Amino acid sequence: MTDVPEPVRKCANLLKGTRSDTEKFAALFMVTKLMKGKDCNTAGKQLLFEAIGFPFLRKLLVSKDLPSDCPPLVYKSVALSILTGFCQEEELATHKDIIDAIPTLLEIVEQADDEDYEDNLIVVSEAYSCLKSIASYEPGQQALLATGAIPKMSQIYSAQSFQTDEALHLIVLLVKQFGVASWPEDPTAFHALIQRIALDMETDHTERKYELCRILADILITCRREIVLNSLEGQIWPESLFKGCGDILKAKIGPKQRDPALHLIATTLQVLGMQWAFMDDQKQFFLMLLQLAAIEVRMQMDEKKLETTFKQAELLTCCFTILEQCIEYMASDQLDLEPKEKQTTYTALKGAFNQVMAVLTRVSQDKIKDSANPRDKAFIVATVRILSAWLAQETTAMRPAIYKLLPFMLKIGNESFHELKAWRAGPREGSPPVDILRVMMPALCHFAVEDEARRVLFTHKQDEVLLEALELYFSIAHWKRPPIPRAERLKRMNEPDPVPTPEQQAQMKEARSAIVSLCNILMNFTVLEPKRAEDAPTFANLLKFVVENLPELKDTPDNLVIHGNLAVLGLLLLKQQSKKVKQNDFSICRYIQATIRFLWDAYNIDESNDPTALVVSIAYKGVWSDVSELWFLGMQTMCGVLPLVPWISEFALESGWAEGIVKTLKKVKIGTLPANVKSAYEDFLSQLVDVNADVVAVLKKADALRVCRNHRMMDLGKKLFGD
């Protein structure tokens, strides 16, 4: 303690020597004076903290049993003034005694409107200062979260008490640290807080409006999204945000005002979705927003040094979020645009993405691409993501430049995929990493049919990574109950089967979407690179994966689309690898049964209002736009597989499928069978007749003669009955 200044040492000795609370309290005035001076260093404060003793400070804060020489508020004020000084030092701000005082400090700020405090608001200010210092360190943050400081501060701000901005800054500090965990399951406090701030932002026309935009964005992004969305009824804050942001977009503003507004809009879209931009049932807000984000991207990325562009990473990432949602919304065909609006929108987007391309090309050739700075890495990932979203829709422009850039984009996408894979294999702490490869998949579907792009993909062994991705996303979509330790099995035997959490259900939905894209890419590879599909080990492993896993897939409505995709991918691969298939391979047998189920169940008569009309079955109706092409491709490919692997025709017979087709078509009214469906069934039955001699008798017995006459199936008729 040699570095403790002499006046501080004297004061500490004086405090230790006091014989009563009154003497000690008198000495505290000297402490407040010393702590404001330059001489009082960290060691000095620690010495004073020990000399006073925390129990005495606590007594001054909470006890009613104090000398009557001064009003209780004076004791409180002095104690808080000293505590504020102590809390500036990390060692003291994280001291157990001070952490334990958090509920007392919260109580003081909660009572800011009480008459007792009206004459001495400095007490409330000092309490906030202490809380702010305590919240600067991890132990204090944890304790504040545990004592419910966030809902309490939300209540204070919602009620517009004294010094509510202090409460707001404290909330922001904590939610930035804890994210979603900041909020309880009950969204009442969250809604009340956002409503209050949104209303302030909407009605304030000073610079504070833009400060509130930033605060709103920081808080909104941490909400429990599902809970908030399910409890929006009766809440008016989305409308307040819409009006407030609309006013900003229409006003003449500079970067200081525009940046926080774009930040808030991007966050609101992430929470509420693009429907929020159409709250007034007009498209003006949407078009204005798209133009502003596109212009901002163009300006910030226009021929500047890369370092200058990277300094604007936060603003650009917000613009990317807005543009990605706008592009997705436009692709869903929900927006009715005039020809002039379409032209203006396309011009704005093209201008922005030419710049994104140019910057990403420069990044791919610059040392910044290997930067270890997390901010730089995140910005590069965000840039690859937004360009992928654009390339999913823009399928012709900028091709030579894109092919050059594709290896770099694949590198970024594959790295992020492997980060997700590693996270899922580990203890899964924090949020899962975002897989940019998944975002790239719709664009890769287009690249898979372009010769030059496909060459790049195979040169960089992308087929191997896509198989890995299929395996990972299948494991997510095909959710299994967690294994129960052997010791607990008997005890938990009567428990109801667990179901996936809402978070897991969202991940499963995402995984199903990824599987559809992956199957699409891999089908194109199989068809357009037949030699590779026949010989390459990756494609042999792909077929093995499909035939082993499709039969395991749960038969649920959610899984129907991926069932169809995997079934047809398997058939295409089977056709190419038919020479390697062993007769009666058990896994192939199970796979064929699962594939027949998909093809058989698509059409029936039983569910039709008219007993003579063939209809798409109810189970398929809701997703028919996603599976109709697959069904026709599946029937066609089955016809191609039968001559190469004739023994699978046994399954069509034994299962009753071939006979079932004839019996169903026999009931269908003449002239009502769609031509494409008729062709699909006739080609399939004809192929069956060609490869299996037993088929003829089965079809004749089911009255194939009448079916051939009714539906003019000439080719099948000739095969069965001659001319």
Side-chain angles (χ1 to χ4, degrees), residues 196-211:
R196 185 67 256 174
I197 313 174
L199 207 56
D200 288 353
M201 188 276 290
E202 183 197 343
T203 51
D204 195 307
H205 299 292
T206 66
E207 285 304 303
R208 176 174 159 76
K209 187 184 197 77
Y210 307 102
E211 189 192 338

Side-chain angles (χ1 to χ4, degrees), residues 306-313 363 368 375-376 379-380:
L306 283 178
E307 288 76 12
T308 314
T309 301
F310 271 65
K311 277 178 189 160
Q312 295 298 327
V363 167
I368 202 163
R375 279 171 60 95
D376 291 348
F379 181 56
I380 293 169

Side-chain angles (χ1 to χ4, degrees), residues 199-374:
L199 207 56
D200 288 353
M201 188 276 290
E202 183 197 343
T203 51
D204 195 307
H205 299 292
T206 66
E207 285 304 303
R208 176 174 159 76
K209 187 184 197 77
Y210 307 102
E211 189 192 338
L212 290 175
C213 282
R214 229 172 237 296
I215 287 170
L216 275 163
D218 287 339
I219 297 175
L220 268 177
I221 201 67
T222 67
C223 75
R224 292 180 182 267
R225 187 169 178 266
E226 286 300 314
I227 293 174
V228 167
L229 287 179
N230 291 332
S231 55
L232 271 180
E233 199 177 331
Q235 299 297 334
I236 57 169
W237 60 261
E239 203 174 331
S240 289
L241 291 182
F242 181 78
K243 285 178 184 166
C245 292
D247 290 344
I248 295 171
L249 294 188
K250 288 172 201 156
K252 286 185 178 175
I253 46 171
K256 270 189 177 174
Q257 294 83 26
R258 190 170 54 241
D259 296 3
L262 284 168
H263 193 74
L264 173 58
I265 291 167
T267 308
T268 308
L269 289 174
Q270 282 173 282
V271 174
L272 300 179
M274 190 44 88
Q275 291 302 337
W276 172 75
F278 294 91
M279 281 203 83
D280 59 354
D281 297 325
Q282 303 290 319
K283 55 189 169 184
Q284 269 56 48
F285 183 89
F286 173 89
L287 292 172
M288 210 159 42
L289 184 55
L290 185 147
Q291 286 287 342
L292 181 61
I295 290 165
E296 200 63 43
V297 166
R298 199 169 173 175
M299 277 168 39
Q300 297 299 342
M301 293 185 132
D302 191 10
E303 296 302 322
K304 291 180 177 166
K305 286 184 178 173
L306 283 178
E307 288 76 12
T308 314
T309 301
F310 271 65
K311 277 178 189 160
Q312 295 298 327
E314 189 185 356
L315 171 65
L316 281 165
T317 305
C318 291
C319 293
F320 292 167
T321 301
I322 293 167
L323 290 178
E324 184 177 348
Q325 293 235 19
C326 288
I327 291 166
E328 272 181 24
Y329 190 81
M330 287 163 72
S332 68
D333 286 334
Q334 296 176 65
L335 191 62
D336 187 21
L337 293 180
E338 305 289 327
K340 193 178 177 187
E341 289 170 335
K342 278 183 185 170
Q343 187 56 48
T344 314
T345 300
Y346 181 73
T347 306
L349 288 171
K350 198 171 176 202
F353 284 107
N354 281 339
Q355 285 310 130
V356 172
M357 277 276 304
V359 167
L360 203 53
T361 303
R362 284 162 63 205
V363 167
S364 70
Q365 297 155 2
D366 190 278
K367 64 179 189 297
I368 202 163
K369 72 177 185 293
D370 302 314
S371 168
N373 182 334

Side-chain angles (χ1 to χ4, degrees), residues 411-424:
K411 177 177 174 287
I412 300 297
N414 294 345
E415 280 172 5
S416 74
F417 164 71
H418 285 117
E419 279 172 23
L420 175 68
K421 191 176 173 182
W423 180 86
R424 289 197 70 86

